[in-house]
Amino acid sequence: MKLSLVISTLGRTSDLNKLFESLTAQTFHDFEVIIVDQNDEDFLAAFVQSDWGFPLKRIHTPGQRGASRGRNVGWREARGDFVLFPDDDCWYPADFLSKAVKLLEDLDADILCGRAANMSGESINGRFEKTPQPVSRKNVFTTQIEWMIFFRREVLQKIEGFDEDIGVGASTPFQACEGQDIVLRALSCGAKAFYDPDLFGHHEDISKVRPDRANIIKARGYARGLGRVLRLHEYSAASLFWWLMRPLAKIPLNVLRGRFKKTSELGAIFFGRAEGYLAPPPQSKSAAE
């Protein structure tokens, strides 16, 4: 089995170095890396010319923006049986790819999902299920994060990849949950998806990031993405209510503790989810033409 790792990147160097060092240390070696460089400048040229010990191709797309757009550019050049989309600031344990390949073979899966964890193996940056299980509409928001999803390449071809109007850097207000959207579309086409909490990678713990003005704005954009995906995939108003109540329920305790910036962040998440759900539906291609 051959794997393709597609990395859409903008504005990073040291984080990329950490990711690439973790890939060099992998115990599984049959993989290629495709880096979609959205930087206007050419400062990654020397970086990609280094000998990292694995096949590496750079596609330079100055002027383009959006993680989903970059991923779509990259996977169309992929040659692997399965494609993974690492963030440009994540990194992986040395046995990560070996473990994933074994699971893919044992499960005969079209999609395999894992979780984000700190260096102690504790889940971060979201709620994740604690037991292995098939992925469904019911658990799709607690069984994955974008940089921990392996896709059979044929599935990406069938559903035409990511929705470029959703995700970090998109030209819309919907700045997250492109992973849930693409998996839901794959499930609707009959793809088999599984989640295993024993498969994890590493990332900065966003709960430790100070909720300043910039991060509060970011949290609202991410929340709009979740609301948008709930609406696009026709989740009920009851589902929306549950997602809206989660941040609201945390506000009183944070007020009592004097954590007013955190309270502002929770409020931004509440309003963002509502805004994403209530936003007008996307214009069809035929209507746009």
Side-chain angles (χ1 to χ4, degrees):
M1 181 185 295
K2 183 179 179 65
L3 303 178
S4 294
L5 279 60
V6 173
I7 305 160
S8 182
T9 186
L10 177 66
R12 297 190 190 276
T13 51
S14 58
D15 290 317
L16 268 178
N17 191 73
K18 188 173 185 177
L19 167 60
F20 274 49
E21 287 178 349
S22 78
L23 297 179
T24 299
Q26 293 297 305
T27 56
F28 178 86
H29 304 292
D30 194 6
F31 66 92
E32 64 175 358
V33 173
I34 299 169
I35 185 166
V36 182
D37 178 3
Q38 294 185 335
N39 295 291
D40 295 331
E41 302 82 9
D42 201 28
F43 61 82
L44 287 183
F47 178 86
V48 299
Q49 289 169 4
S50 301
D51 183 11
W52 291 100
F54 47 78
L56 173 60
K57 177 179 182 178
R58 181 179 72 137
I59 304 172
H60 193 201
T61 59
Q64 289 192 8
R65 295 294 184 267
S68 292
R69 177 177 292 179
R71 292 166 183 150
N72 282 345
V73 169
W75 74 256
R76 291 187 172 99
E77 298 293 323
R79 295 294 177 264
D81 303 293
F82 283 85
V83 184
L84 173 72
F85 298 93
D87 273 1
D88 59 2
D89 58 347
C90 73
W91 67 102
Y92 300 104
D95 65 347
F96 173 72
L97 294 181
S98 295
K99 189 179 293 183
V101 167
K102 185 176 188 308
L103 284 169
L104 287 166
E105 291 174 341
D106 291 347
L107 294 168
D108 189 28
D110 297 310
I111 299 171
L112 176 65
C113 308
R115 62 187 177 93
N118 60 23
M119 297 304 292
S120 299
E122 300 164 326
S123 293
I124 58 171
N125 299 349
R127 295 187 307 114
F128 294 96
E129 300 293 336
K130 298 183 183 302
T131 59
Q133 55 195 272
V135 178
S136 66
R137 281 176 58 90
K138 184 176 180 180
N139 66 11
V140 72
F141 290 96
T142 55
T143 54
Q144 63 193 266
I145 193 164
E146 286 77 9
W147 49 276
M148 285 294 300
I149 312 174
F150 290 83
F151 294 90
R152 193 181 297 275
R153 186 157 49 88
E154 288 82 356
V155 170
L156 293 172
Q157 292 169 338
K158 186 173 184 179
I159 62 176
E160 299 183 342
F162 288 87
D163 182 340
E164 295 179 6
D165 288 334
I166 304 175
V168 174
S171 59
T172 69
F174 316 118
Q175 296 289 300
C177 291
E178 69 273 25
Q180 284 81 6
D181 171 74
I182 191 174
V183 170
L184 284 166
R185 287 189 284 116
L187 290 174
S188 70
C189 291
K192 294 190 300 181
F194 292 88
Y195 162 81
D196 194 320
D198 194 40
L199 184 70
F200 59 82
H202 304 302
H203 202 285
E204 178 187 22
D205 186 348
I206 61 174
S207 69
K208 296 182 180 179
V209 175
R210 183 181 178 184
D212 56 18
R213 177 174 173 77
N215 285 313
I216 289 171
I217 292 173
K218 181 187 293 187
R220 191 163 184 165
Y222 286 4
R224 290 191 190 107
L226 189 150
R228 184 63 161 183
V229 172
L230 290 174
R231 182 63 176 271
L232 287 175
H233 294 277
E234 300 181 342
Y235 281 81
S236 67
S239 294
L240 173 65
F241 180 80
W242 188 86
W243 283 103
L244 291 178
M245 290 302 101
R246 284 183 56 79
L248 280 187
K250 298 176 183 178
I251 287 177
L253 181 59
N254 281 279
V255 169
L256 290 173
R257 292 178 174 176
R259 300 174 62 184
F260 299 113
K261 288 185 177 180
K262 184 64 177 179
T263 299
S264 296
E265 182 183 51
L266 291 167
I269 292 170
F270 168 84
F271 285 110
R273 289 174 178 175
E275 290 163 350
Y277 192 86
L278 297 174
Q283 188 178 21
S284 67
K285 291 183 180 180
S286 59
E289 294 169 353

